[in-house]
Amino acid sequence: MPTKPSDTKLTGLFLDMLAAEQGAGPNTLDAYRRDLTDFSEFLGRVGHNFADAETQTLRDYLADLDARGFKSTSVARRLSAMRHLYRFLLNERIRTDDPAAILSGPKRGRGLPKVLSIADVDRMLRRAKELSEAEDASPSKRLRALRLYCLLEVLYATGLRVSELVALPRSAAKRDARMIVVRGKGNKERLVPLNDASRQAMADYLAATEAAKADKKNSVAASKWLFPSFGESGHLTRQHFARDLKELAVASGLQARLVSPHVLRHAFASHLLHNGADLRIVQTLLGHTDISTTQIYTHVVEERLKSLVRDLHPLAEK
């Protein structure tokens, strides 16, 4: 009887499929790898593996996650990874059944995203601009401040995912460009418009990087990335930008825990909808494949409709 492949090999085959057939990016693949490694380690402790685990063993794993204090959202994500894995094993005829098919996940309410007010975002933009214009700053400090201000303006103008933002090529900042091409999840491209403020921020930032060419040790101007990492090859990391953003939040009088790149993406979508944008347009701008993902923002539309009825309907109470 042939030996069943190890969990490690099956995980590798599964991740290869996700990358090749679904265009999964490095962050998605890393998340699946972590989840499946934890699942495999649990199976090993109870004498099983991916190839022979039954439905009850999978239920035991979900119960173990709960006992370890995992949030319902994290348990649901692990269950999703298991379902995808076992559908793959069934399709590849490594298994003749799908033990995850009848599993039910934890009940969870879909919470509303944290959203900054327009005034909060304005405070951060003003503070970032002040820091970028500080006359007593050293050239390197001013360049970092210009980079942060540019990142903030572009993020709030476009609603890009942070992974899309930090990986923008230098060519995205072409002179007089009204749109940028963004490569998102699944390697799909979409056009995103720029406003005047973000275009000016990019122009100022690029001018500063051009000035840095005089310093032979500075590789920023020669990089193919719009937001290169200082002192290293490659672009700015998501984590670095998130740290800089939290420091800016504190300097703007906001609580650091309330601010992140993803929160600013939410602000972009919510503020557009509040001002009358169509939900389908916001879906396209955010790069959501399914409208249901964008519908988390419908509370904004509902509040706007209520206010319109309250303020404009002839029979509304005055």
Side-chain angles (χ1 to χ4, degrees), residues 173-220:
K174 291 178 181 176
R175 188 180 300 275
D176 298 326
R178 297 283 176 178
M179 309 279 283
I180 56 174
V181 178
V182 178
R183 192 178 297 277
K185 285 188 174 181
N187 214 30
K188 295 178 180 177
E189 291 186 344
R190 68 184 189 278
L191 279 173
V192 179
L194 293 169
N195 61 18
D196 290 340
S198 60
R199 290 171 56 240
Q200 186 60 54
M202 285 198 289
D204 292 343
Y205 169 62
L206 284 179
T209 63
E210 288 295 327
K213 280 183 177 179
D215 184 352
K216 300 298 183 182
K217 296 179 181 179
N218 195 320
S219 60
V220 172

Side-chain angles (χ1 to χ4, degrees), residues 4-5 7 10 39 43-44 46-58 86 89 94-95 97 99:
K4 293 285 186 181
D7 286 358
L10 292 178
F39 176 41
L43 292 178
V46 297
H48 289 285
N49 53 45
F50 292 163
D52 65 18
E54 301 296 332
T55 299
Q56 185 55 51
T57 308
L58 272 59
Y86 281 109
L89 297 183
I94 294 170
R95 287 192 64 130
D97 64 336

Side-chain angles (χ1 to χ4, degrees), residues 120-158:
D120 289 338
V121 177
D122 281 343
R123 286 166 64 184
M124 292 185 66
L125 286 168
R126 284 198 304 271
R127 184 58 180 151
K129 188 166 181 60
E130 288 171 1
L131 292 172
S132 70
E133 294 174 343
E135 295 182 357
D136 58 344
S138 64
S140 61
K141 190 171 182 178
R142 182 171 181 272
L143 191 57
R144 288 174 186 271
L146 281 166
R147 182 180 67 179
L148 179 58
Y149 176 58
C150 183
L151 281 160
L152 186 57
E153 281 284 10
V154 174
L155 176 54
Y156 186 53
T158 62

Side-chain angles (χ1 to χ4, degrees), residues 39-94:
F39 176 41
S40 175
E41 289 173 352
F42 171 83
L43 292 178
R45 291 196 296 271
V46 297
H48 289 285
N49 53 45
F50 292 163
D52 65 18
E54 301 296 332
T55 299
Q56 185 55 51
T57 308
L58 272 59
R59 287 198 180 102
D60 293 341
Y61 173 62
L62 296 178
D64 178 69
L65 292 175
D66 186 61
R68 283 193 268 161
F70 278 68
K71 294 180 180 179
S72 61
T73 50
S74 297
V75 175
R77 194 191 73 226
R78 297 290 175 95
L79 175 57
S80 176
M82 289 158 55
R83 284 173 173 157
H84 279 83
L85 171 70
Y86 281 109
R87 280 199 294 270
F88 167 73
L89 297 183
L90 183 63
N91 291 336
E92 294 296 312
R93 299 183 181 180
I94 294 170

